[in-house]
Amino acid sequence: MMSEKIDRETAFPAIPQHSAQELTQGGATAHIVLNDQVYTLRITRAGKLILTK
């Protein structure tokens, strides 16, 4: 039986990462669509994210 070492850093596909500033194109809000539902992503003055339906 062959034993192989698995590098845990590369064993799983990377999770996509997106910049909130790019999604909002420098503004404070962006619309995100999932299954015909529209969600609003908002960056608050405190720099937090709020996602609402």
Side-chain angles (χ1 to χ4, degrees):
M1 183 167 110
M2 293 178 59
S3 64
E4 295 181 29
K5 290 193 175 196
I6 297 174
D7 181 1
R8 293 191 187 277
E9 295 294 321
T10 59
F12 302 101
I15 297 172
Q17 182 173 330
H18 305 280
S19 165
Q21 286 82 8
E22 287 181 18
L23 289 173
T24 60
Q25 297 180 347
T29 60
H31 288 135
I32 300 172
V33 179
L34 176 66
N35 299 329
D36 297 325
Q37 297 288 316
V38 178
Y39 296 82
T40 300
L41 177 71
R42 184 168 65 91
I43 302 173
T44 68
R45 284 185 246 167
K48 307 291 183 180
L49 294 176
I50 297 175
L51 182 65
T52 55
K53 192 170 182 182

